[in-house]
């Protein structure tokens, strides 16, 4: 009753919405980089939106199922296939015992998600199932997935009857709006030290593209552009930072903090990526361009509320379709 | 403890967090205010609040935008709602001081193998190594905040006599390493690259994911170091019961 790793990927971890409540102890929140995609995958298989999922980077792990179950894939398109047959993102897929799921090539995006119906049997650490690689805790044994790891499934439901002898079956519902709008536009709110930037630097910030460098990972993305200049040599006493905080390094370069960010920092916080665009940002990779666009709180909050409403609608629709489908099929 | 009426400023930290800033300084009175307000809000949490992150001179509150907005009219943003609530709260005096009153005694071995930077520090400061140790162990330090790594406590204020800037190049630092950066002192809970000047190491485990309280320190704690030999170090390390509360019997 499990999902077995038969070949390890480069960095595949268990993640959920993140570990909040412990940043006061220096314990960073972690969690999925693209929480929107993570929640879409959960909705599609009828899960609680916050259920833990597998986050994959390319090249991703190869998995074998030891029982029939329902899965959904979302986020990056790594050209997934089951037993060699391509399967789509953003659908609910019934998979059979001994099926092998693999990811063939990176087509778009940077992080893919697998949700399994009922969720994975992962013990909580400090109220979250997210992997904290730095602390070596949470998720699956506090580390990324290795060959022969076996992820137990919470649900013991047997979906064998759905498959009628097939290897896998794409169920007839999907998340239409989920397809990531691959826009390089990232909305930001000014940070407390925004006014430290010279007018010229503000102009560079808002009117020229920043390129994501190779020094980018789950902790943060370092960005390349003309160095920015501040009007003051004042220093920031260490204070809280967050997912999306854009810090100005002493060399004039920017770093955007991502899911594995430190809890506090002492660099000027020139801006913050709005929460609704963090998902978009999480799917960008080395070499991609970011165009920052100034926005306001009203817009940032409305976009976030809208995302949440979409997710709840999707979840309700999927639960309804799932019940209906399972019922119809059985009788 | 004495609470002053410290002026503050409130600013957004993105769209899901709000910071109350008491002045961008490292100052014990200011930090007392931060920790006092932290405990006050812990006892009377605001609607939609997810967590708080106290720092040297600021308190940051993360909140759930959707939860806050459900309770507000359409004309007001979640940020404005939080800001108003905080303004109201900060007008109120704090009741009895609620900061931690714990005194933690931390054994530190200042011997060579554990103190790669102590000789150079002594040379730069023109002090014998023994005096560096004596100065470091003489004072009680306050834990101003935790950050950087799980369980990493920023403590101060260090005697000017042994204050020294951090290294130009961070180096791999072992768990338990006691460091100095400017007028701060701190201990690395995990193996990590670090720029602080390392003058000793404690055998205590500052972070343990399996403990109920995974970190040893909390903001507001008082800490005093005492010097141990290399033999003591290994004895303690081997005999330690790492549960919080037990360690102080060491």
């Amino acid at each position: 009753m499990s999902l077995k790793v038969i070949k390890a990927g480069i960095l595949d971890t268990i993640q959920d919405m993140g570990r909040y409540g412990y940043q006061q102890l220096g314990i960073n929140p972690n969690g999925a980089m693209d929480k929107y995609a993570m929640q879409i995958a959960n909705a599609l298989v009828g899960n609680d939106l916050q259920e833990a999922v597998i986050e994959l980077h390319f090249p991703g792990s190869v998995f074998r199922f030891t029982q029939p179950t329902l899965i959904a894939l979302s986020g990056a398109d790594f050209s997934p296939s089951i037993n060699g047959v391509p399967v789509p993102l953003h659908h609910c897929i019934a998979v059979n015992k001994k099926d092998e799921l693999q990811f063939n090539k990176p087509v778009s995006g940077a992080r893919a998600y697998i949700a399994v119906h009922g969720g994975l049997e992962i013990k909580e650490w400090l109220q979250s199932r997210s992997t904290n690689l730095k602390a070596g805790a949470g998720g699956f044994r506090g580390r990324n997935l290795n060959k022969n790891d076996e992820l137990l499934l919470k649900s013991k439901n047997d979906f064998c009857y759905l498959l009628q002898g097939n290897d896998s079956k794409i169920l007839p519902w999907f998340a239409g709006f989920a397809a990531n709008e691959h826009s390089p536009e990232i909305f930001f709110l000014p940070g407390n030290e925004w006014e430290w930037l010279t007018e010229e630097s503000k102009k560079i910030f808002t009117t020229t593209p920043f390129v994501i460098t190779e020094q980018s990972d789950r902790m943060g993305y370092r960005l390349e552009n003309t160095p920015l200049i501040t009007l003051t040599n004042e220093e920031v006493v260490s204070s809280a930072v967050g997912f999306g905080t854009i810090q100005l390094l002493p060399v004039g370069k920017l770093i955007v903090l991502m899911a594995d960010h430190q809890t506090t920092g002492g660099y000027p916080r020139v801006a913050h990526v709005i929460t609704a665009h963090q998902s978009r940002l999480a799917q960008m990779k080395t070499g991609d361009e970011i165009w920052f666009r100034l926005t306001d709180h009203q817009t940032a909050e409305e976009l976030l509320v809208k995302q949440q409403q979409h997710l709840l609608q999707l979840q309700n629709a999927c639960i309804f379709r799932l019940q209906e489908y399972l019922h119809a099929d059985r009788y | 403890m004495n609470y002053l009426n410290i002026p503050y400023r409130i600013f957004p930290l993105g769209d899901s967090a709000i910071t109350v800033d008491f002045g961008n300084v490292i100052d014990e009175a200011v930090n007392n205010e931060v920790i006092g307000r932290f405990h006050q809000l812990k006892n009377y949490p605001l609607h939609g609040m997810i967590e708080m992150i106290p720092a040297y001179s600021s308190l940051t509150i993360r909140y759930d935008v959707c939860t806050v907005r459900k309770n507000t009219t359409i004309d007001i943003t979640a940020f404005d709602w939080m800001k108003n609530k905080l303004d109201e709260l900060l007008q109120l005096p704090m009741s009895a001081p609620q900061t931690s009153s714990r005194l933690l005694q931390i054994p530190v071995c200042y011997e060579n193998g554990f103190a790669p930077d102590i000789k150079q520090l002594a040379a730069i400061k023109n002090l014998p190594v023994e005096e560096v140790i004596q100065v470091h162990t003489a004072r009680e330090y306050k834990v101003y905040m935790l950050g950087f790594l799980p369980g990493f406590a920023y403590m101060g204020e260090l005697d000017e006599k042994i204050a020294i800037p951090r290294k130009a190049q961070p180096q791999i630092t072992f768990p338990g390493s006691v460091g100095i950066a400017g007028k701060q002192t701190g201990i690395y809970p995990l193996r990590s690259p670090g720029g602080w000047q390392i003058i000793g190491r404690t055998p205590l485990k500052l972070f343990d994911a399996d403990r109920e309280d995974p970190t040893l320190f909390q903001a507001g704690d008082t800490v005093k170091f005492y010097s141990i030999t290399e033999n003591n170090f290994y004895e303690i390390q081997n005999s330690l019961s790492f549960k919080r509360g037990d360690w102080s019997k060491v």
Side-chain angles (χ1 to χ4, degrees):
Chain A
M1 308 305 247
S2 67
L3 183 53
K4 193 169 175 185
V5 180
I6 56 174
K7 192 177 161 202
I10 186 167
L11 176 61
D12 299 343
T13 54
I14 306 298
Q15 300 292 345
D16 60 13
M17 293 297 280
R19 180 173 290 104
Y20 288 96
Y22 300 90
Q23 291 201 75
Q24 64 189 71
L25 302 177
I27 298 172
N28 45 346
N30 315 113
M33 288 279 275
D34 182 348
K35 295 189 178 68
Y36 189 54
M38 171 200 126
Q39 293 179 87
I40 287 170
N42 274 325
L44 284 162
V45 293
N47 284 354
D48 185 356
L49 295 176
Q50 271 106 54
E51 192 58 59
V53 300
I54 305 169
E55 179 180 279
L56 304 105
H57 291 80
F58 196 86
S61 302
V62 179
F63 297 95
R64 183 184 291 138
F65 295 89
T66 70
Q67 74 179 94
T69 185
L70 304 177
I71 64 164
L73 306 169
S74 69
D77 182 356
F78 292 160
S79 175
S81 64
I82 291 176
N83 301 340
V85 179
V87 289
L89 302 187
H90 306 133
H91 278 71
C92 185
I93 306 168
V95 295
N96 212 337
K97 193 173 168 176
K98 294 188 184 161
D99 272 359
E100 282 185 18
L101 169 66
Q102 65 177 48
F103 298 86
N104 300 290
K105 62 173 198 286
V107 178
S108 65
R111 276 111 196 152
Y113 295 89
I114 308 173
V116 184
H117 174 75
L120 302 163
E121 192 73 69
I122 298 283
K123 216 177 130 210
E124 281 193 348
W125 177 60
L126 305 180
Q127 301 175 303
S128 162
R129 295 184 173 84
S130 288
T131 311
N132 187 321
L133 294 172
K134 197 175 270 175
F140 187 85
R141 300 181 189 170
R143 59 167 172 78
N144 51 329
L145 298 178
N146 284 338
K147 190 178 172 177
N148 294 329
D149 284 348
E150 209 164 348
L151 302 166
L152 300 179
L153 310 188
K154 281 197 240 170
S155 168
K156 308 291 177 227
N157 285 350
D158 189 348
F159 293 102
C160 209
Y161 67 93
L162 282 181
L163 290 153
Q164 297 157 341
N166 293 316
D167 276 358
S168 64
K169 189 172 174 184
I170 317 296
L171 304 192
W173 63 88
F174 61 99
F177 62 82
N180 240 315
E181 346 92 83
H182 288 291
S183 167
E185 274 200 349
I186 296 289
F187 285 12
F188 75 94
L189 294 170
N192 192 47
E193 286 76 48
W194 172 250
E195 291 304 331
W196 289 15
L197 293 176
T198 61
E199 285 308 312
E200 181 59 25
S201 289
K202 284 183 192 166
K203 208 173 151 201
I204 293 169
F205 193 98
T206 49
T207 60
T208 66
F210 285 80
V211 179
I212 299 175
T213 69
E214 276 179 9
Q215 289 169 284
S216 297
D217 53 22
R218 278 186 45 96
M219 281 178 71
Y221 295 173
R222 277 184 191 241
L223 308 180
E224 183 55 43
N225 199 344
T226 316
L228 304 183
I229 296 163
T230 53
L231 297 162
T232 165
N233 288 328
E234 208 182 321
E235 287 188 12
V236 181
V237 167
S238 276
S239 177
V241 291
F243 195 148
T245 297
I246 305 175
Q247 292 180 312
L248 180 66
L249 303 176
V251 288
K253 304 288 174 169
L254 298 179
I255 182 165
V256 194
L257 301 182
M258 302 298 285
D260 286 351
H261 66 83
Q262 291 178 14
T263 56
T264 55
Y267 294 123
R269 297 146 293 186
V270 292
H272 303 274
V273 173
I274 67 167
T275 309
H277 281 185
Q278 285 168 8
S279 149
R280 197 182 274 191
L281 187 63
Q283 292 301 349
M284 292 186 175
K285 48 193 187 299
T286 303
D288 285 352
E289 282 185 355
I290 298 174
W291 292 80
F292 289 116
R293 298 274 185 258
L294 180 65
T295 190
D296 55 30
H297 266 85
Q298 188 66 26
T299 311
E301 290 184 7
E302 278 167 10
L303 287 171
L304 186 56
V305 169
K306 213 162 112 189
Q307 261 190 7
Q308 195 56 34
Q309 283 166 350
H310 272 157
L311 286 168
L312 292 174
Q313 278 165 10
L314 178 70
Q315 185 185 35
N316 288 334
C318 289
I319 288 172
F320 178 75
R321 294 298 299 272
L322 187 62
Q323 296 299 341
E324 191 186 49
Y325 188 80
L326 296 182
H327 192 79
D329 230 62
R330 202 183 283 247
Y331 302 105
Chain B
M1 222 165 275
N2 206 358
Y3 292 100
L4 309 167
N5 225 343
I6 295 171
Y8 66 89
R9 215 166 51 81
I10 292 179
F11 60 81
L13 192 81
D15 58 23
S16 300
I18 185 166
T19 298
V20 186
D21 180 16
F22 295 95
N24 198 35
V25 288
I26 300 180
D27 177 278
E28 189 163 352
V30 169
N31 187 252
N32 286 342
E33 177 83 20
V34 170
I35 293 167
R37 295 298 182 183
F38 166 76
H39 285 280
Q40 189 183 21
L41 272 161
K42 210 159 137 186
N43 294 338
Y44 302 99
L46 298 178
H47 182 76
M49 184 168 109
I50 295 170
E51 69 172 341
M52 287 182 286
I53 308 151
Y56 278 114
S57 54
S58 66
L59 179 62
T60 297
I61 293 127
R62 288 199 67 80
Y63 56 90
D64 182 68
V65 170
C66 296
T67 309
V68 174
R69 283 181 70 111
K70 264 180 216 151
N71 261 36
T72 60
T73 61
I74 208 83
D75 304 330
I76 183 169
T77 60
F79 170 73
D80 284 331
W81 188 87
M82 291 299 288
K83 183 176 183 300
N84 293 345
K85 286 286 167 192
L86 285 169
D87 272 327
E88 279 171 31
L89 185 110
L90 289 161
Q91 299 313 313
L92 302 173
M94 279 179 287
S95 42
Q98 293 153 332
T99 70
S100 158
S101 53
R102 302 190 308 171
L103 170 66
L104 311 187
Q105 309 240 26
I106 305 295
V108 177
C109 177
Y110 293 91
E111 289 175 25
N112 273 334
F114 293 138
D117 304 318
I118 201 168
K119 273 191 180 155
Q120 204 194 350
L121 185 150
I124 291 169
K125 289 293 181 175
N126 204 12
L127 294 172
V129 167
E130 294 69 38
E131 199 174 331
V132 174
I133 299 168
Q134 193 268 319
V135 172
H136 192 250
T137 51
R139 282 195 185 181
E140 287 182 357
Y141 300 102
K142 183 179 179 206
V143 175
Y144 285 114
M145 61 179 277
L146 279 80
F148 172 47
L149 289 172
F152 188 99
Y154 291 83
M155 299 179 246
E157 179 175 280
L158 204 66
D159 192 321
E160 192 67 65
K161 274 189 250 171
I162 57 169
I164 187 169
R166 60 191 76 199
K167 299 174 202 171
Q169 279 299 326
Q171 282 166 350
I172 284 294
T173 307
F174 293 97
S177 293
V178 177
I180 289 178
K183 287 169 86 175
Q184 310 166 90
T185 183
I187 313 176
Y188 287 85
L190 302 171
R191 185 185 156 91
S192 161
W196 292 33
Q197 310 276 353
I198 304 304
I199 61 159
R201 199 185 301 172
T202 178
L204 300 184
K205 217 168 167 182
L206 272 74
F207 174 81
D208 183 346
D210 297 331
R211 275 191 306 225
E212 196 180 335
D213 291 316
T215 67
L216 187 56
F217 297 122
Q218 290 170 15
D221 284 342
T222 304
V223 172
K224 195 159 189 296
F225 298 107
Y226 65 94
S227 175
I228 57 169
T229 64
E230 193 172 341
N231 279 342
N232 294 150
F233 181 94
Y234 291 115
E235 274 166 29
I236 295 171
Q237 197 172 51
N238 292 333
S239 71
L240 261 187
S241 160
F242 288 125
K243 279 193 198 121
R244 180 182 278 173
D246 291 2
W247 65 273
S248 57
K249 292 174 199 142
V250 172

Short mmCIF file of all heavy atoms in Angstrom, two decimals, chain A residues 154-190:
data_model
loop_
_atom_site.label_atom_id
_atom_site.label_comp_id
_atom_site.label_asym_id
_atom_site.label_seq_id
_atom_site.Cartn_x
_atom_site.Cartn_y
_atom_site.Cartn_z
N LYS A 154 -2.32 6.86 2.92
CA LYS A 154 -3.30 6.83 4.01
C LYS A 154 -4.54 6.05 3.61
O LYS A 154 -5.13 5.34 4.40
CB LYS A 154 -3.70 8.26 4.40
CG LYS A 154 -2.68 8.96 5.28
CD LYS A 154 -3.31 10.16 5.96
CE LYS A 154 -2.60 11.43 5.57
NZ LYS A 154 -3.28 12.65 6.01
N SER A 155 -4.96 6.21 2.37
CA SER A 155 -6.21 5.59 1.93
C SER A 155 -5.98 4.13 1.54
O SER A 155 -5.03 3.81 0.84
CB SER A 155 -6.77 6.36 0.73
OG SER A 155 -7.79 5.62 0.14
N LYS A 156 -6.85 3.29 2.03
CA LYS A 156 -6.75 1.88 1.66
C LYS A 156 -7.81 1.54 0.60
O LYS A 156 -8.05 0.37 0.30
CB LYS A 156 -6.95 0.98 2.90
CG LYS A 156 -6.06 1.33 4.08
CD LYS A 156 -4.57 1.02 3.82
CE LYS A 156 -3.70 1.44 4.99
NZ LYS A 156 -2.50 2.20 4.59
N ASN A 157 -8.48 2.56 0.08
CA ASN A 157 -9.51 2.32 -0.95
C ASN A 157 -8.92 1.58 -2.13
O ASN A 157 -7.82 1.89 -2.57
CB ASN A 157 -10.07 3.66 -1.48
CG ASN A 157 -11.01 4.29 -0.48
OD1 ASN A 157 -11.38 3.65 0.51
ND2 ASN A 157 -11.38 5.53 -0.73
N ASP A 158 -9.65 0.63 -2.65
CA ASP A 158 -9.18 -0.10 -3.82
C ASP A 158 -9.93 0.43 -5.05
O ASP A 158 -11.14 0.28 -5.16
CB ASP A 158 -9.45 -1.59 -3.62
CG ASP A 158 -8.79 -2.39 -4.72
OD1 ASP A 158 -8.34 -1.78 -5.71
OD2 ASP A 158 -8.73 -3.62 -4.58
N PHE A 159 -9.19 1.06 -5.93
CA PHE A 159 -9.82 1.63 -7.12
C PHE A 159 -9.68 0.72 -8.33
O PHE A 159 -9.85 1.14 -9.46
CB PHE A 159 -9.23 3.01 -7.43
CG PHE A 159 -9.58 4.04 -6.39
CD1 PHE A 159 -8.65 4.43 -5.43
CD2 PHE A 159 -10.84 4.60 -6.36
CE1 PHE A 159 -8.98 5.36 -4.46
CE2 PHE A 159 -11.17 5.54 -5.40
CZ PHE A 159 -10.24 5.92 -4.44
N CYS A 160 -9.37 -0.54 -8.06
CA CYS A 160 -9.14 -1.52 -9.11
C CYS A 160 -10.30 -1.56 -10.11
O CYS A 160 -10.10 -1.61 -11.31
CB CYS A 160 -8.98 -2.89 -8.45
SG CYS A 160 -7.95 -3.97 -9.38
N TYR A 161 -11.50 -1.49 -9.56
CA TYR A 161 -12.69 -1.62 -10.41
C TYR A 161 -12.81 -0.50 -11.44
O TYR A 161 -13.43 -0.65 -12.47
CB TYR A 161 -13.95 -1.69 -9.54
CG TYR A 161 -14.26 -0.40 -8.80
CD1 TYR A 161 -15.11 0.54 -9.36
CD2 TYR A 161 -13.68 -0.13 -7.56
CE1 TYR A 161 -15.39 1.71 -8.70
CE2 TYR A 161 -13.94 1.04 -6.90
CZ TYR A 161 -14.80 1.96 -7.46
OH TYR A 161 -15.06 3.12 -6.81
N LEU A 162 -12.20 0.64 -11.14
CA LEU A 162 -12.26 1.77 -12.07
C LEU A 162 -11.45 1.49 -13.34
O LEU A 162 -11.74 2.01 -14.40
CB LEU A 162 -11.62 3.01 -11.43
CG LEU A 162 -12.42 3.78 -10.40
CD1 LEU A 162 -11.60 4.97 -9.92
CD2 LEU A 162 -13.72 4.27 -11.01
N LEU A 163 -10.42 0.69 -13.16
CA LEU A 163 -9.44 0.54 -14.24
C LEU A 163 -9.85 -0.48 -15.29
O LEU A 163 -9.39 -0.42 -16.43
CB LEU A 163 -8.08 0.16 -13.64
CG LEU A 163 -7.45 1.31 -12.87
CD1 LEU A 163 -6.52 0.81 -11.79
CD2 LEU A 163 -6.70 2.23 -13.84
N GLN A 164 -10.71 -1.39 -14.92
CA GLN A 164 -11.20 -2.43 -15.83
C GLN A 164 -10.04 -3.05 -16.62
O GLN A 164 -10.10 -3.17 -17.85
CB GLN A 164 -12.24 -1.85 -16.80
CG GLN A 164 -13.48 -1.36 -16.07
CD GLN A 164 -14.26 -0.31 -16.85
OE1 GLN A 164 -13.72 0.31 -17.76
NE2 GLN A 164 -15.51 -0.13 -16.49
N GLY A 165 -8.99 -3.35 -15.90
CA GLY A 165 -7.87 -4.04 -16.52
C GLY A 165 -6.86 -3.13 -17.20
O GLY A 165 -5.80 -3.57 -17.61
N ASN A 166 -7.19 -1.84 -17.33
CA ASN A 166 -6.24 -0.91 -17.96
C ASN A 166 -5.09 -0.57 -17.00
O ASN A 166 -5.23 -0.69 -15.80
CB ASN A 166 -6.94 0.39 -18.35
CG ASN A 166 -7.94 0.17 -19.46
OD1 ASN A 166 -7.66 -0.53 -20.44
ND2 ASN A 166 -9.12 0.73 -19.29
N ASP A 167 -3.98 -0.11 -17.59
CA ASP A 167 -2.85 0.35 -16.80
C ASP A 167 -3.24 1.58 -15.99
O ASP A 167 -2.95 1.70 -14.81
CB ASP A 167 -1.68 0.75 -17.71
CG ASP A 167 -0.86 -0.45 -18.11
OD1 ASP A 167 -1.18 -1.56 -17.65
OD2 ASP A 167 0.09 -0.28 -18.89
N SER A 168 -3.83 2.52 -16.68
CA SER A 168 -4.23 3.75 -16.00
C SER A 168 -5.42 4.32 -16.76
O SER A 168 -5.70 3.92 -17.89
CB SER A 168 -3.08 4.75 -15.98
OG SER A 168 -2.76 5.15 -17.30
N LYS A 169 -6.09 5.26 -16.11
CA LYS A 169 -7.28 5.82 -16.74
C LYS A 169 -7.39 7.29 -16.35
O LYS A 169 -7.30 7.63 -15.16
CB LYS A 169 -8.51 5.05 -16.27
CG LYS A 169 -9.77 5.39 -17.01
CD LYS A 169 -10.87 4.44 -16.59
CE LYS A 169 -12.19 4.84 -17.20
NZ LYS A 169 -13.27 3.97 -16.73
N ILE A 170 -7.55 8.14 -17.36
CA ILE A 170 -7.71 9.57 -17.08
C ILE A 170 -9.18 9.81 -16.78
O ILE A 170 -10.03 9.55 -17.64
CB ILE A 170 -7.31 10.43 -18.32
CG1 ILE A 170 -6.04 9.92 -18.99
CG2 ILE A 170 -7.23 11.90 -17.96
CD1 ILE A 170 -4.80 9.98 -18.15
N LEU A 171 -9.49 10.26 -15.61
CA LEU A 171 -10.90 10.48 -15.25
C LEU A 171 -11.39 11.80 -15.87
O LEU A 171 -10.60 12.71 -16.13
CB LEU A 171 -11.06 10.48 -13.73
CG LEU A 171 -10.56 9.22 -13.03
CD1 LEU A 171 -11.03 9.17 -11.58
CD2 LEU A 171 -11.00 7.94 -13.75
N PRO A 172 -12.70 11.87 -16.10
CA PRO A 172 -13.23 12.94 -16.96
C PRO A 172 -13.42 14.29 -16.27
O PRO A 172 -14.46 14.89 -16.41
CB PRO A 172 -14.56 12.37 -17.45
CG PRO A 172 -15.00 11.49 -16.33
CD PRO A 172 -13.76 10.93 -15.71
N TRP A 173 -12.49 14.74 -15.47
CA TRP A 173 -12.55 16.14 -15.02
C TRP A 173 -11.13 16.67 -14.86
O TRP A 173 -10.19 15.91 -14.71
CB TRP A 173 -13.33 16.29 -13.71
CG TRP A 173 -12.76 15.61 -12.52
CD1 TRP A 173 -11.85 16.10 -11.65
CD2 TRP A 173 -13.09 14.30 -12.05
NE1 TRP A 173 -11.58 15.19 -10.67
CE2 TRP A 173 -12.33 14.07 -10.89
CE3 TRP A 173 -13.97 13.30 -12.50
CZ2 TRP A 173 -12.40 12.88 -10.16
CZ3 TRP A 173 -14.03 12.12 -11.77
CH2 TRP A 173 -13.25 11.91 -10.63
N PHE A 174 -11.02 17.97 -14.99
CA PHE A 174 -9.68 18.56 -14.92
C PHE A 174 -9.80 20.01 -14.47
O PHE A 174 -10.91 20.57 -14.44
CB PHE A 174 -8.98 18.47 -16.26
CG PHE A 174 -9.68 19.20 -17.37
CD1 PHE A 174 -9.27 20.47 -17.76
CD2 PHE A 174 -10.76 18.62 -18.03
CE1 PHE A 174 -9.93 21.14 -18.78
CE2 PHE A 174 -11.43 19.29 -19.05
CZ PHE A 174 -11.00 20.55 -19.43
N ALA A 175 -8.68 20.59 -14.11
CA ALA A 175 -8.66 21.98 -13.66
C ALA A 175 -8.31 22.86 -14.86
O ALA A 175 -7.14 22.97 -15.22
CB ALA A 175 -7.64 22.16 -12.54
N GLY A 176 -9.32 23.44 -15.48
CA GLY A 176 -9.11 24.20 -16.71
C GLY A 176 -8.28 25.45 -16.50
O GLY A 176 -7.34 25.72 -17.24
N PHE A 177 -8.60 26.19 -15.44
CA PHE A 177 -7.93 27.48 -15.24
C PHE A 177 -6.52 27.31 -14.69
O PHE A 177 -5.77 28.24 -14.58
CB PHE A 177 -8.73 28.36 -14.29
CG PHE A 177 -8.88 27.78 -12.92
CD1 PHE A 177 -7.85 27.94 -11.99
CD2 PHE A 177 -10.02 27.08 -12.55
CE1 PHE A 177 -7.97 27.40 -10.73
CE2 PHE A 177 -10.14 26.54 -11.29
CZ PHE A 177 -9.12 26.69 -10.38
N ALA A 178 -6.18 26.06 -14.33
CA ALA A 178 -4.92 25.85 -13.63
C ALA A 178 -3.71 26.13 -14.50
O ALA A 178 -2.68 26.57 -14.00
CB ALA A 178 -4.86 24.43 -13.10
N ALA A 179 -3.84 25.86 -15.79
CA ALA A 179 -2.70 26.03 -16.69
C ALA A 179 -2.02 27.35 -16.37
O ALA A 179 -2.60 28.42 -16.52
CB ALA A 179 -3.18 25.99 -18.13
N ASN A 180 -0.79 27.25 -15.92
CA ASN A 180 -0.08 28.43 -15.43
C ASN A 180 0.06 29.50 -16.50
O ASN A 180 0.57 29.24 -17.58
CB ASN A 180 1.33 28.00 -15.00
CG ASN A 180 1.54 28.32 -13.54
OD1 ASN A 180 1.19 29.41 -13.10
ND2 ASN A 180 2.09 27.38 -12.82
N GLU A 181 -0.39 30.68 -16.19
CA GLU A 181 -0.15 31.77 -17.12
C GLU A 181 1.35 32.06 -17.01
O GLU A 181 1.81 32.53 -15.99
CB GLU A 181 -0.94 33.03 -16.74
CG GLU A 181 -2.03 32.83 -15.73
CD GLU A 181 -1.56 33.07 -14.29
OE1 GLU A 181 -1.54 34.23 -13.87
OE2 GLU A 181 -1.23 32.09 -13.61
N HIS A 182 2.10 31.68 -18.02
CA HIS A 182 3.56 31.85 -17.93
C HIS A 182 3.92 33.29 -18.23
O HIS A 182 4.42 33.62 -19.30
CB HIS A 182 4.28 30.90 -18.88
CG HIS A 182 4.21 29.50 -18.40
ND1 HIS A 182 4.87 29.07 -17.27
CD2 HIS A 182 3.53 28.43 -18.86
CE1 HIS A 182 4.60 27.79 -17.07
NE2 HIS A 182 3.79 27.38 -18.02
N SER A 183 3.65 34.14 -17.28
CA SER A 183 3.95 35.55 -17.49
C SER A 183 5.20 35.93 -16.71
O SER A 183 5.37 35.51 -15.57
CB SER A 183 2.76 36.38 -17.03
OG SER A 183 3.14 37.73 -16.94
N PRO A 184 6.07 36.72 -17.31
CA PRO A 184 7.26 37.17 -16.57
C PRO A 184 6.95 38.35 -15.65
O PRO A 184 7.82 38.82 -14.93
CB PRO A 184 8.21 37.60 -17.69
CG PRO A 184 7.32 38.02 -18.81
CD PRO A 184 6.06 37.20 -18.69
N GLU A 185 5.69 38.80 -15.66
CA GLU A 185 5.32 39.95 -14.81
C GLU A 185 5.11 39.51 -13.38
O GLU A 185 4.29 38.64 -13.10
CB GLU A 185 4.01 40.56 -15.31
CG GLU A 185 4.20 41.57 -16.39
CD GLU A 185 2.99 42.49 -16.51
OE1 GLU A 185 1.94 42.21 -15.91
OE2 GLU A 185 3.13 43.49 -17.23
N ILE A 186 5.82 40.12 -12.48
CA ILE A 186 5.69 39.82 -11.06
C ILE A 186 5.34 41.11 -10.33
O ILE A 186 6.08 42.09 -10.40
CB ILE A 186 7.02 39.23 -10.51
CG1 ILE A 186 7.35 37.89 -11.17
CG2 ILE A 186 6.97 39.11 -8.99
CD1 ILE A 186 6.47 36.73 -10.76
N PHE A 187 4.18 41.09 -9.67
CA PHE A 187 3.74 42.29 -8.93
C PHE A 187 4.47 42.36 -7.59
O PHE A 187 4.66 41.35 -6.93
CB PHE A 187 2.23 42.23 -8.65
CG PHE A 187 1.37 42.50 -9.85
CD1 PHE A 187 1.90 42.54 -11.14
CD2 PHE A 187 0.00 42.74 -9.69
CE1 PHE A 187 1.09 42.79 -12.25
CE2 PHE A 187 -0.81 43.00 -10.79
CZ PHE A 187 -0.28 43.02 -12.06
N PHE A 188 4.82 43.59 -7.20
CA PHE A 188 5.47 43.75 -5.90
C PHE A 188 4.89 44.92 -5.12
O PHE A 188 4.30 45.84 -5.69
CB PHE A 188 6.99 43.94 -6.06
CG PHE A 188 7.39 45.31 -6.55
CD1 PHE A 188 7.73 46.32 -5.65
CD2 PHE A 188 7.44 45.61 -7.90
CE1 PHE A 188 8.09 47.59 -6.09
CE2 PHE A 188 7.80 46.88 -8.36
CZ PHE A 188 8.13 47.88 -7.45
N LEU A 189 5.06 44.84 -3.80
CA LEU A 189 4.76 45.97 -2.92
C LEU A 189 6.10 46.52 -2.45
O LEU A 189 7.04 45.76 -2.22
CB LEU A 189 3.95 45.49 -1.71
CG LEU A 189 2.54 44.96 -2.02
CD1 LEU A 189 1.93 44.30 -0.79
CD2 LEU A 189 1.65 46.11 -2.49
N PRO A 190 6.21 47.83 -2.29
CA PRO A 190 7.48 48.40 -1.83
C PRO A 190 7.83 47.88 -0.43
O PRO A 190 6.95 47.69 0.39
CB PRO A 190 7.21 49.90 -1.78
CG PRO A 190 5.98 50.12 -2.59
CD PRO A 190 5.18 48.86 -2.52
#
